[in-house]
Amino acid sequence: MKNKFTVEGMMCAACSAAVERAVGKLEGVESAQVNLLAKLLTVEYSENTVTPEDICAAVKKAGFSAVLQEEPKPAEVKLNMDEVPAALPKPEEKFTPVKVRLAVSVPLLVILMYITMGHMVGLPLPDFLHGVNNGVQFAFLQFLLTLPVVYVNRKFFFNGFRSLFHKAPNMDTLVAVGSGAALIYGAASIFMIGYGLGNGKIDIAEKYVSNLYFESASMILTLVTVGKFLEERSKSKTNSAVAGLIDLSPKKATVKRNGKEITVNAEEIVVGDTVIIRPGEKIPVDGIVTDGASSVDQSALTGESMPVEKSKGDSVMSASLNLEGSFTMKASKVGKDTTLAQIIRLVEDAGATKAPVARLADKIAGVFVPVVMSISLVTFIAWLAAGQTLEFALSCAICVLVISCPCALGLATPVAITVSAGRCASNGILIKSAEALEGLCKADTVILDKTGTVTTGRPAVTDIIATDMEEDELLMLAASLENKSEHLLAKAICEKYKGKLVKADSFTYVPGKGVSATIAGKKALGGNATLMAENGVDISAFSQQVSALSQQGKTVMYFAQDGKAIGIIAVADEIKPTSTEAVKTLIQSGKEVILLTGDNRSTAEVIGRQLGVTKVVAQVLPAQKAEQVEAEQKKGRKVIMVGDGINDSPALAKADIGIAVSAARTLLLTPPTLC
């Protein structure tokens, strides 16, 4: 059995390692994986041996809290962010928000560093802080500046010592012990300075004035908070991916119940409901068309660049956009069973898996904190045994904790990523993590989505063939005829023509076939061969041209006036100017390139030939794209997946490296744990 649990209280890789270790020790648990970013624990276990309650108890014993994510009943399914369990209080809500912590910590740290380190660079200090005689004021002012920093960042102490008491120390434990020891040592130093001055023992006062560690306590807390802020921002951007998927689904829908049309929330639709879809509306659930016909844009799900004609008996998918015509459908899949919900689940499941480098980091994190604390203790004992004073031994032990605090893991890495991402952003490349960069050099297979990745993603006019008139005249007539249509092919023609349109009267849309209107007193037709045949228009004169254009993967529209064919216009999703050179470069570098698309095979093969790609996989659904990636990985290959649409999300998440293309020069590089 496989279940997911929401875990609260995890702050770092050591926390996730502790949770995995605690759950993994339970008898009957086959595997336990934590997605720290999503605060998600995925457990495979034998339900005859262990129960969800046992798993939650093990997590609690490790110092965290967990709640089972139960599958909602069909009538209760809601495809929105309310699915996230709210039973557990979030630690962040009990403490000061990270931005406020930074707003308080940074200015106070700057003042504190000026007071403690300013004299090293020749900066002046007020007279009341000069000399050993003013040692108490000097130390006490530092103490007062440190206290607000400690208070606003108190979550490190709560979480750190709680983890320590549960025998699962984490990065917060290092921060808490290091900064706490520095603070306590500094407070004790104030008393020793006062004692020295009050008893004429200036040497004692001088010793403690020059060995205060208040700035260390503030510096540790502030720098790690900076790291937390960068981490939080990264998490926010990553989590927005699933939120973007959810936003594809419409919030409202019109259904027919008891003979009446009513508007309901999309999540209230049940299997068997009759749903009415009007032009421009998104389809809320999966279903079957029962009446009417229309053109549907389902590129967000399948990657098909051209709209798909739907009529009675055809299936339609949630989140598809109805372009023209109204139709009714019978809901067949709702809530978690819809195509969109399955894509979201695929993305989440792929994100829960870990790359080998992530597993290695978890192993290191699991022993890093205990080892550092042990070294600090050994340092303290060793200096005492060597005859040094308690203060000296303690200061050395604190130094070990300070330099071993998770700056490298919690701060240096995010800073490095931010800097490198900034440099790359100037060249149109966005990088989400260092794992993506690491994996690029190891990859040997590149899988390219077609629509919107190697092509422009939207239809454009490629050929105009006219009889008895100029091409511009045919284009003007076609644009005037199609101007009132919302069809993607019609929009391509209107975008091509930049001149003045002629008024079209009696405009009629014929679902799945084309349009008709009266222009300058003549009946004009524009559409497919079926529309022409129904109106008695002979199009045989264009058969050779149409055959050649179709072999090139182009869609042909016929135009007629007063019953006579006057020309054809071909439309296609064109290859981007940079795609051919990019594919050539990949092949020359030794990468195997595969073209993967939900579009029809003939179009895909034409695009493949133009790009120089020999392996083309067409007519695949989103889940099948992910399966294709997995198939290559099973061959021992390291796969880069390049895509642009929501339909590519599962494959992007499944690949060793996911590259999301949002423009001709814009890339988003993500590791397999992100999408």
Side-chain angles (χ1 to χ4, degrees), residues 97-155:
V98 65
K99 290 184 179 180
V100 176
R101 286 156 51 194
L102 282 179
V104 173
S105 301
V106 172
L108 291 176
L109 177 62
V110 171
I111 297 172
L112 189 57
M113 293 301 294
Y114 177 87
I115 293 172
T116 58
M117 304 293 182
H119 64 280
M120 296 181 180
V121 292
L123 296 176
L125 279 178
D127 291 338
F128 74 92
L129 296 178
H130 274 298
V132 69
N133 292 330
N134 294 314
V136 174
Q137 299 96 299
F138 180 70
F140 192 68
L141 179 59
Q142 294 181 44
F143 178 66
L144 292 178
L145 290 170
T146 303
L147 282 181
V149 178
V150 172
Y151 177 76
V152 296
N153 293 291
R154 63 194 182 281
K155 67 176 297 181

Short mmCIF file of all heavy atoms in Angstrom, two decimals, residues 97-155:
data_model
loop_
_atom_site.label_atom_id
_atom_site.label_comp_id
_atom_site.label_asym_id
_atom_site.label_seq_id
_atom_site.Cartn_x
_atom_site.Cartn_y
_atom_site.Cartn_z
N PRO A 97 7.46 36.35 10.69
CA PRO A 97 7.72 36.04 9.28
C PRO A 97 9.15 36.38 8.89
O PRO A 97 9.77 37.29 9.46
CB PRO A 97 6.71 36.94 8.54
CG PRO A 97 5.63 37.19 9.53
CD PRO A 97 6.31 37.24 10.87
N VAL A 98 9.66 35.67 7.90
CA VAL A 98 11.08 35.79 7.56
C VAL A 98 11.44 37.20 7.08
O VAL A 98 12.54 37.69 7.37
CB VAL A 98 11.45 34.72 6.49
CG1 VAL A 98 10.71 34.98 5.18
CG2 VAL A 98 12.95 34.67 6.26
N LYS A 99 10.54 37.87 6.37
CA LYS A 99 10.86 39.22 5.90
C LYS A 99 10.98 40.20 7.06
O LYS A 99 11.85 41.09 7.05
CB LYS A 99 9.80 39.69 4.91
CG LYS A 99 9.83 38.97 3.57
CD LYS A 99 8.81 39.56 2.61
CE LYS A 99 8.88 38.85 1.26
NZ LYS A 99 7.89 39.39 0.30
N VAL A 100 10.11 40.03 8.07
CA VAL A 100 10.19 40.90 9.25
C VAL A 100 11.47 40.61 10.01
O VAL A 100 12.14 41.52 10.52
CB VAL A 100 8.96 40.68 10.15
CG1 VAL A 100 9.07 41.52 11.43
CG2 VAL A 100 7.69 41.05 9.40
N ARG A 101 11.82 39.33 10.09
CA ARG A 101 13.07 38.95 10.78
C ARG A 101 14.27 39.61 10.12
O ARG A 101 15.17 40.10 10.80
CB ARG A 101 13.22 37.44 10.77
CG ARG A 101 12.27 36.74 11.75
CD ARG A 101 11.99 35.30 11.37
NE ARG A 101 13.19 34.53 11.13
CZ ARG A 101 13.20 33.35 10.53
NH1 ARG A 101 12.06 32.81 10.09
NH2 ARG A 101 14.32 32.69 10.36
N LEU A 102 14.27 39.62 8.80
CA LEU A 102 15.38 40.27 8.09
C LEU A 102 15.37 41.77 8.31
O LEU A 102 16.43 42.39 8.49
CB LEU A 102 15.29 39.96 6.60
CG LEU A 102 15.77 38.57 6.15
CD1 LEU A 102 15.59 38.43 4.64
CD2 LEU A 102 17.23 38.36 6.52
N ALA A 103 14.18 42.36 8.29
CA ALA A 103 14.07 43.82 8.47
C ALA A 103 14.59 44.25 9.84
O ALA A 103 15.12 45.36 9.99
CB ALA A 103 12.62 44.26 8.29
N VAL A 104 14.44 43.39 10.85
CA VAL A 104 14.93 43.70 12.18
C VAL A 104 16.41 43.34 12.31
O VAL A 104 17.23 44.11 12.83
CB VAL A 104 14.11 42.95 13.25
CG1 VAL A 104 14.73 43.14 14.64
CG2 VAL A 104 12.67 43.45 13.26
N SER A 105 16.76 42.16 11.81
CA SER A 105 18.11 41.62 12.05
C SER A 105 19.20 42.37 11.31
O SER A 105 20.26 42.67 11.88
CB SER A 105 18.14 40.14 11.65
OG SER A 105 17.20 39.40 12.38
N VAL A 106 18.98 42.67 10.04
CA VAL A 106 20.04 43.26 9.23
C VAL A 106 20.49 44.64 9.75
O VAL A 106 21.69 44.86 9.94
CB VAL A 106 19.61 43.34 7.74
CG1 VAL A 106 20.64 44.13 6.93
CG2 VAL A 106 19.44 41.94 7.16
N PRO A 107 19.57 45.59 10.01
CA PRO A 107 20.03 46.89 10.53
C PRO A 107 20.75 46.78 11.87
O PRO A 107 21.78 47.43 12.09
CB PRO A 107 18.74 47.70 10.67
CG PRO A 107 17.77 47.05 9.75
CD PRO A 107 18.11 45.60 9.78
N LEU A 108 20.23 45.94 12.77
CA LEU A 108 20.87 45.79 14.08
C LEU A 108 22.24 45.13 13.94
O LEU A 108 23.18 45.48 14.66
CB LEU A 108 19.97 44.97 15.01
CG LEU A 108 18.68 45.65 15.46
CD1 LEU A 108 17.83 44.70 16.30
CD2 LEU A 108 18.98 46.92 16.24
N LEU A 109 22.35 44.20 13.00
CA LEU A 109 23.65 43.56 12.79
C LEU A 109 24.67 44.56 12.25
O LEU A 109 25.85 44.55 12.64
CB LEU A 109 23.51 42.38 11.82
CG LEU A 109 24.82 41.66 11.46
CD1 LEU A 109 25.46 41.05 12.70
CD2 LEU A 109 24.56 40.58 10.41
N VAL A 110 24.23 45.43 11.35
CA VAL A 110 25.13 46.45 10.80
C VAL A 110 25.65 47.36 11.92
O VAL A 110 26.85 47.66 12.00
CB VAL A 110 24.40 47.28 9.71
CG1 VAL A 110 25.25 48.48 9.30
CG2 VAL A 110 24.10 46.41 8.49
N ILE A 111 24.75 47.80 12.81
CA ILE A 111 25.16 48.65 13.93
C ILE A 111 26.11 47.90 14.85
O ILE A 111 27.14 48.44 15.30
CB ILE A 111 23.92 49.13 14.71
CG1 ILE A 111 23.02 49.98 13.81
CG2 ILE A 111 24.33 49.92 15.95
CD1 ILE A 111 21.69 50.33 14.44
N LEU A 112 25.78 46.63 15.10
CA LEU A 112 26.60 45.81 15.99
C LEU A 112 28.00 45.60 15.40
O LEU A 112 29.01 45.68 16.12
CB LEU A 112 25.91 44.46 16.22
CG LEU A 112 26.49 43.54 17.28
CD1 LEU A 112 26.54 44.24 18.64
CD2 LEU A 112 25.68 42.25 17.37
N MET A 113 28.06 45.35 14.11
CA MET A 113 29.37 45.15 13.46
C MET A 113 30.17 46.45 13.47
O MET A 113 31.41 46.42 13.58
CB MET A 113 29.16 44.66 12.02
CG MET A 113 28.56 43.26 11.93
SD MET A 113 29.55 42.00 12.73
CE MET A 113 31.00 42.02 11.69
N TYR A 114 29.49 47.58 13.35
CA TYR A 114 30.19 48.87 13.42
C TYR A 114 30.84 49.06 14.79
O TYR A 114 31.99 49.48 14.91
CB TYR A 114 29.21 50.00 13.14
CG TYR A 114 29.82 51.39 13.24
CD1 TYR A 114 30.46 51.97 12.15
CD2 TYR A 114 29.78 52.10 14.45
CE1 TYR A 114 31.03 53.23 12.24
CE2 TYR A 114 30.35 53.36 14.55
CZ TYR A 114 30.96 53.92 13.45
OH TYR A 114 31.55 55.17 13.55
N ILE A 115 30.08 48.73 15.83
CA ILE A 115 30.59 48.91 17.19
C ILE A 115 31.75 47.96 17.48
O ILE A 115 32.76 48.35 18.08
CB ILE A 115 29.45 48.70 18.21
CG1 ILE A 115 28.42 49.83 18.07
CG2 ILE A 115 29.99 48.66 19.64
CD1 ILE A 115 27.17 49.61 18.91
N THR A 116 31.61 46.70 17.05
CA THR A 116 32.62 45.70 17.41
C THR A 116 33.81 45.67 16.45
O THR A 116 34.93 45.35 16.87
CB THR A 116 31.98 44.30 17.43
OG1 THR A 116 31.40 44.02 16.15
CG2 THR A 116 30.91 44.23 18.50
N MET A 117 33.60 45.98 15.20
CA MET A 117 34.67 45.84 14.21
C MET A 117 35.07 47.16 13.56
O MET A 117 36.04 47.21 12.80
CB MET A 117 34.21 44.87 13.09
CG MET A 117 33.78 43.51 13.60
SD MET A 117 35.15 42.56 14.28
CE MET A 117 34.30 41.04 14.71
N GLY A 118 34.32 48.23 13.84
CA GLY A 118 34.59 49.51 13.17
C GLY A 118 35.99 50.03 13.39
O GLY A 118 36.62 50.59 12.47
N HIS A 119 36.53 49.83 14.61
CA HIS A 119 37.87 50.37 14.90
C HIS A 119 38.95 49.72 14.05
O HIS A 119 40.03 50.28 13.86
CB HIS A 119 38.19 50.16 16.39
CG HIS A 119 38.28 48.72 16.78
ND1 HIS A 119 37.17 47.94 17.03
CD2 HIS A 119 39.36 47.90 16.96
CE1 HIS A 119 37.55 46.72 17.36
NE2 HIS A 119 38.88 46.67 17.32
N MET A 120 38.67 48.51 13.51
CA MET A 120 39.66 47.82 12.70
C MET A 120 39.90 48.51 11.36
O MET A 120 40.95 48.32 10.73
CB MET A 120 39.22 46.37 12.45
CG MET A 120 39.14 45.53 13.71
SD MET A 120 38.64 43.83 13.33
CE MET A 120 38.63 43.11 14.97
N VAL A 121 38.92 49.29 10.93
CA VAL A 121 39.08 50.01 9.65
C VAL A 121 39.11 51.51 9.88
O VAL A 121 38.88 52.29 8.96
CB VAL A 121 37.93 49.64 8.68
CG1 VAL A 121 38.05 48.19 8.24
CG2 VAL A 121 36.57 49.89 9.31
N GLY A 122 39.36 51.92 11.12
CA GLY A 122 39.53 53.33 11.42
C GLY A 122 38.26 54.12 11.61
O GLY A 122 38.29 55.36 11.58
N LEU A 123 37.12 53.42 11.81
CA LEU A 123 35.86 54.14 12.03
C LEU A 123 35.79 54.62 13.49
O LEU A 123 36.18 53.89 14.41
CB LEU A 123 34.66 53.24 11.73
CG LEU A 123 34.53 52.77 10.27
CD1 LEU A 123 33.36 51.81 10.13
CD2 LEU A 123 34.36 53.95 9.33
N PRO A 124 35.29 55.84 13.73
CA PRO A 124 35.26 56.40 15.09
C PRO A 124 34.15 55.80 15.94
O PRO A 124 33.10 55.40 15.42
CB PRO A 124 35.02 57.90 14.85
CG PRO A 124 34.23 57.93 13.57
CD PRO A 124 34.77 56.80 12.72
N LEU A 125 34.36 55.73 17.25
CA LEU A 125 33.36 55.30 18.21
C LEU A 125 33.13 56.41 19.23
O LEU A 125 34.05 57.18 19.52
CB LEU A 125 33.83 54.04 18.94
CG LEU A 125 33.66 52.69 18.23
CD1 LEU A 125 34.23 51.58 19.10
CD2 LEU A 125 32.21 52.41 17.92
N PRO A 126 31.94 56.52 19.80
CA PRO A 126 31.70 57.52 20.86
C PRO A 126 32.65 57.29 22.04
O PRO A 126 33.06 56.16 22.31
CB PRO A 126 30.24 57.26 21.25
CG PRO A 126 29.64 56.56 20.09
CD PRO A 126 30.72 55.75 19.46
N ASP A 127 32.97 58.38 22.74
CA ASP A 127 33.92 58.29 23.85
C ASP A 127 33.46 57.34 24.95
O ASP A 127 34.28 56.66 25.58
CB ASP A 127 34.14 59.69 24.45
CG ASP A 127 34.90 60.61 23.49
OD1 ASP A 127 35.59 60.06 22.60
OD2 ASP A 127 34.78 61.84 23.63
N PHE A 128 32.13 57.23 25.16
CA PHE A 128 31.66 56.39 26.27
C PHE A 128 31.82 54.89 25.99
O PHE A 128 31.56 54.05 26.85
CB PHE A 128 30.20 56.71 26.61
CG PHE A 128 29.20 56.19 25.62
CD1 PHE A 128 28.61 54.94 25.79
CD2 PHE A 128 28.83 56.95 24.52
CE1 PHE A 128 27.69 54.47 24.89
CE2 PHE A 128 27.91 56.48 23.61
CZ PHE A 128 27.32 55.23 23.79
N LEU A 129 32.27 54.55 24.75
CA LEU A 129 32.52 53.16 24.43
C LEU A 129 34.02 52.85 24.32
O LEU A 129 34.40 51.71 24.06
CB LEU A 129 31.84 52.79 23.09
CG LEU A 129 30.31 52.88 23.06
CD1 LEU A 129 29.78 52.54 21.67
CD2 LEU A 129 29.68 51.95 24.10
N HIS A 130 34.87 53.87 24.54
CA HIS A 130 36.31 53.68 24.42
C HIS A 130 36.91 53.19 25.73
O HIS A 130 36.49 53.58 26.82
CB HIS A 130 36.99 55.00 24.03
CG HIS A 130 37.01 55.22 22.54
ND1 HIS A 130 37.67 54.40 21.68
CD2 HIS A 130 36.45 56.20 21.77
CE1 HIS A 130 37.53 54.85 20.44
NE2 HIS A 130 36.78 55.95 20.48
N GLY A 131 37.92 52.32 25.60
CA GLY A 131 38.73 51.93 26.76
C GLY A 131 38.09 50.90 27.65
O GLY A 131 36.87 50.70 27.65
N VAL A 132 38.93 50.24 28.45
CA VAL A 132 38.47 49.19 29.33
C VAL A 132 37.57 49.73 30.44
O VAL A 132 36.70 49.01 30.95
CB VAL A 132 39.67 48.42 29.93
CG1 VAL A 132 40.44 49.31 30.90
CG2 VAL A 132 39.21 47.15 30.63
N ASN A 133 37.77 51.00 30.82
CA ASN A 133 36.94 51.59 31.87
C ASN A 133 35.47 51.68 31.47
O ASN A 133 34.58 51.77 32.32
CB ASN A 133 37.46 52.97 32.26
CG ASN A 133 38.81 52.90 32.96
OD1 ASN A 133 39.09 51.89 33.62
ND2 ASN A 133 39.62 53.93 32.82
N ASN A 134 35.23 51.74 30.15
CA ASN A 134 33.86 51.78 29.64
C ASN A 134 33.42 50.40 29.12
O ASN A 134 32.52 50.28 28.30
CB ASN A 134 33.74 52.80 28.51
CG ASN A 134 33.95 54.22 29.00
OD1 ASN A 134 33.38 54.62 30.02
ND2 ASN A 134 34.77 54.98 28.29
N GLY A 135 34.09 49.37 29.63
CA GLY A 135 33.84 48.02 29.14
C GLY A 135 32.42 47.53 29.36
O GLY A 135 31.85 46.84 28.51
N VAL A 136 31.83 47.90 30.50
CA VAL A 136 30.46 47.44 30.78
C VAL A 136 29.49 48.05 29.77
O VAL A 136 28.63 47.35 29.22
CB VAL A 136 30.05 47.81 32.22
CG1 VAL A 136 28.58 47.47 32.45
CG2 VAL A 136 30.91 47.07 33.23
N GLN A 137 29.60 49.38 29.52
CA GLN A 137 28.73 50.01 28.53
C GLN A 137 28.92 49.39 27.15
O GLN A 137 27.96 49.13 26.41
CB GLN A 137 29.00 51.52 28.44
CG GLN A 137 28.76 52.29 29.73
CD GLN A 137 30.04 52.49 30.52
OE1 GLN A 137 30.67 51.51 30.92
NE2 GLN A 137 30.41 53.75 30.76
N PHE A 138 30.20 49.15 26.81
CA PHE A 138 30.57 48.58 25.51
C PHE A 138 29.91 47.20 25.33
O PHE A 138 29.31 46.90 24.29
CB PHE A 138 32.09 48.48 25.42
CG PHE A 138 32.59 47.91 24.12
CD1 PHE A 138 32.48 48.62 22.94
CD2 PHE A 138 33.18 46.65 24.08
CE1 PHE A 138 32.96 48.09 21.73
CE2 PHE A 138 33.65 46.12 22.89
CZ PHE A 138 33.54 46.84 21.72
N ALA A 139 30.00 46.36 26.35
CA ALA A 139 29.46 45.01 26.26
C ALA A 139 27.94 45.00 26.36
O ALA A 139 27.25 44.26 25.64
CB ALA A 139 30.07 44.13 27.35
N PHE A 140 27.39 45.84 27.27
CA PHE A 140 25.95 45.82 27.49
C PHE A 140 25.19 46.36 26.27
O PHE A 140 24.10 45.89 25.95
CB PHE A 140 25.60 46.64 28.74
CG PHE A 140 24.19 46.43 29.20
CD1 PHE A 140 23.79 45.22 29.73
CD2 PHE A 140 23.25 47.46 29.10
CE1 PHE A 140 22.49 45.02 30.15
CE2 PHE A 140 21.95 47.27 29.52
CZ PHE A 140 21.56 46.05 30.06
N LEU A 141 25.77 47.35 25.58
CA LEU A 141 25.14 47.87 24.36
C LEU A 141 25.06 46.77 23.30
O LEU A 141 24.04 46.63 22.61
CB LEU A 141 25.92 49.07 23.82
CG LEU A 141 25.38 49.69 22.52
CD1 LEU A 141 23.93 50.16 22.71
CD2 LEU A 141 26.26 50.84 22.06
N GLN A 142 26.11 45.97 23.17
CA GLN A 142 26.09 44.84 22.24
C GLN A 142 25.01 43.84 22.62
O GLN A 142 24.31 43.29 21.76
CB GLN A 142 27.46 44.16 22.20
CG GLN A 142 28.58 45.01 21.65
CD GLN A 142 29.90 44.26 21.62
OE1 GLN A 142 29.94 43.09 21.22
NE2 GLN A 142 30.98 44.91 22.06
N PHE A 143 24.89 43.61 23.93
CA PHE A 143 23.87 42.68 24.43
C PHE A 143 22.46 43.16 24.06
O PHE A 143 21.62 42.38 23.60
CB PHE A 143 24.03 42.54 25.94
CG PHE A 143 23.02 41.63 26.58
CD1 PHE A 143 23.01 40.28 26.32
CD2 PHE A 143 22.07 42.14 27.46
CE1 PHE A 143 22.07 39.43 26.91
CE2 PHE A 143 21.13 41.32 28.05
CZ PHE A 143 21.13 39.95 27.78
N LEU A 144 22.22 44.46 24.24
CA LEU A 144 20.91 45.03 23.92
C LEU A 144 20.61 44.96 22.42
O LEU A 144 19.46 44.75 22.02
CB LEU A 144 20.84 46.48 24.40
CG LEU A 144 20.84 46.70 25.91
CD1 LEU A 144 20.80 48.20 26.23
CD2 LEU A 144 19.66 45.99 26.58
N LEU A 145 21.63 45.16 21.59
CA LEU A 145 21.44 45.07 20.14
C LEU A 145 21.21 43.63 19.69
O LEU A 145 20.53 43.39 18.68
CB LEU A 145 22.66 45.65 19.42
CG LEU A 145 22.84 47.17 19.51
CD1 LEU A 145 24.21 47.57 18.96
CD2 LEU A 145 21.74 47.90 18.76
N THR A 146 21.74 42.69 20.43
CA THR A 146 21.62 41.28 20.06
C THR A 146 20.27 40.69 20.46
O THR A 146 19.72 39.84 19.74
CB THR A 146 22.75 40.46 20.71
OG1 THR A 146 24.01 41.00 20.33
CG2 THR A 146 22.68 38.99 20.28
N LEU A 147 19.71 41.15 21.57
CA LEU A 147 18.46 40.57 22.07
C LEU A 147 17.31 40.60 21.06
O LEU A 147 16.62 39.59 20.87
CB LEU A 147 18.04 41.28 23.37
CG LEU A 147 18.79 40.86 24.64
CD1 LEU A 147 18.26 41.61 25.84
CD2 LEU A 147 18.68 39.35 24.87
N PRO A 148 17.05 41.74 20.36
CA PRO A 148 15.96 41.74 19.36
C PRO A 148 16.21 40.74 18.24
O PRO A 148 15.26 40.12 17.73
CB PRO A 148 15.94 43.18 18.84
CG PRO A 148 16.58 43.98 19.91
CD PRO A 148 17.62 43.10 20.51
N VAL A 149 17.46 40.61 17.84
CA VAL A 149 17.80 39.66 16.78
C VAL A 149 17.49 38.24 17.25
O VAL A 149 16.94 37.42 16.50
CB VAL A 149 19.28 39.79 16.38
CG1 VAL A 149 19.63 38.76 15.30
CG2 VAL A 149 19.58 41.19 15.89
N VAL A 150 17.84 37.94 18.49
CA VAL A 150 17.57 36.62 19.05
C VAL A 150 16.07 36.39 19.15
O VAL A 150 15.57 35.30 18.81
CB VAL A 150 18.22 36.47 20.44
CG1 VAL A 150 17.78 35.18 21.11
CG2 VAL A 150 19.74 36.51 20.32
N TYR A 151 15.33 37.41 19.56
CA TYR A 151 13.89 37.24 19.75
C TYR A 151 13.17 36.97 18.43
O TYR A 151 12.36 36.03 18.33
CB TYR A 151 13.29 38.48 20.43
CG TYR A 151 11.79 38.38 20.58
CD1 TYR A 151 11.23 37.56 21.56
CD2 TYR A 151 10.93 39.07 19.72
CE1 TYR A 151 9.85 37.44 21.69
CE2 TYR A 151 9.56 38.95 19.84
CZ TYR A 151 9.02 38.14 20.83
OH TYR A 151 7.66 38.02 20.93
N VAL A 152 13.43 37.77 17.42
CA VAL A 152 12.70 37.59 16.15
C VAL A 152 13.09 36.29 15.46
O VAL A 152 12.33 35.75 14.66
CB VAL A 152 12.90 38.79 15.19
CG1 VAL A 152 12.34 40.06 15.78
CG2 VAL A 152 14.36 38.96 14.82
N ASN A 153 14.27 35.78 15.78
CA ASN A 153 14.72 34.51 15.20
C ASN A 153 14.64 33.37 16.20
O ASN A 153 15.36 32.37 16.09
CB ASN A 153 16.16 34.65 14.69
CG ASN A 153 16.28 35.59 13.52
OD1 ASN A 153 15.82 35.30 12.43
ND2 ASN A 153 16.90 36.75 13.74
N ARG A 154 13.75 33.48 17.16
CA ARG A 154 13.65 32.49 18.23
C ARG A 154 13.24 31.11 17.74
O ARG A 154 13.43 30.11 18.43
CB ARG A 154 12.66 32.98 19.29
CG ARG A 154 11.23 33.14 18.79
CD ARG A 154 10.38 33.93 19.79
NE ARG A 154 8.98 34.08 19.37
CZ ARG A 154 8.55 34.94 18.48
NH1 ARG A 154 9.41 35.75 17.87
NH2 ARG A 154 7.27 35.02 18.16
N LYS A 155 12.67 31.04 16.51
CA LYS A 155 12.25 29.74 15.98
C LYS A 155 13.43 28.79 15.86
O LYS A 155 13.27 27.58 16.00
CB LYS A 155 11.57 29.91 14.62
CG LYS A 155 12.46 30.40 13.49
CD LYS A 155 11.71 30.43 12.17
CE LYS A 155 11.28 29.05 11.76
NZ LYS A 155 10.57 29.05 10.47
#
